[in-house]
Amino acid sequence: SQKEELASLEKTKKEEKKKLLDLQEILKPLLFKKNKLSKSYQELDRIFAQKQSLIEFQTKELKTVKQIEISDALNKSVIRAKQEETAQAQLLKELKEKQKELEH
């Protein structure tokens, strides 16, 4: 009776060991896929971070370009205003000279 029980336990042990090995064989490719996915997610995170910093850099560059364009436009309008002012002053001077000529 004890021998039979021992034999039965030994058989059960072998069956359980076989089940465990079968499960390990099933798990191996799943773990491989999990690791591969994990690496893919890490790569995606890295790419996302690169794109994010590129976007931030481009945004700063764009703001700088816009500021330069605005500054240039302001400078041009100031120059234009001064040129017009100078032209008006010259015209006024010429008108005064003509008026003096007409008075004499």
Side-chain angles (χ1 to χ4, degrees):
S1 169
Q2 274 190 334
K3 280 187 180 181
E4 288 172 9
E5 201 174 314
L6 193 60
S8 174
L9 283 174
E10 198 62 39
K11 184 180 174 189
T12 304
K13 183 180 170 186
K14 282 183 182 178
E15 287 171 356
E16 291 299 318
K17 193 171 184 177
K18 169 117 176 66
K19 285 181 188 175
L20 186 62
L21 289 173
D22 288 347
L23 282 174
Q24 285 175 338
E25 285 305 308
I26 291 170
L27 277 177
K28 274 182 191 176
L30 291 175
L31 283 173
F32 178 76
K33 285 179 184 176
K34 177 193 165 277
N35 290 337
K36 205 170 181 181
L37 273 175
S38 181
K39 285 178 185 173
S40 296
Y41 279 120
Q42 286 173 352
E43 183 66 12
L44 282 173
D45 284 344
R46 188 185 65 75
I47 291 169
F48 180 76
Q50 277 182 337
K51 289 205 183 259
Q52 196 66 30
S53 30
L54 181 62
I55 288 169
E56 288 169 9
F57 174 76
Q58 288 174 333
T59 302
K60 284 179 188 172
E61 287 293 302
L62 189 60
K63 284 180 182 175
T64 303
V65 167
K66 285 291 176 196
Q67 286 172 343
I68 290 170
E69 287 174 356
I70 289 168
S71 180
D72 284 351
L74 282 172
N75 288 338
K76 285 177 184 173
S77 64
V78 166
I79 290 169
R80 211 173 303 117
K82 284 183 179 179
Q83 287 171 341
E84 287 173 12
E85 190 181 317
T86 305
Q88 285 176 353
Q90 182 64 33
L91 192 59
L92 189 60
K93 183 180 173 188
E94 288 172 14
L95 284 172
K96 283 182 180 179
E97 286 173 6
K98 291 276 186 200
Q99 189 178 10
K100 280 183 183 178
E101 282 176 24
L102 291 173
E103 287 174 359
H104 291 296

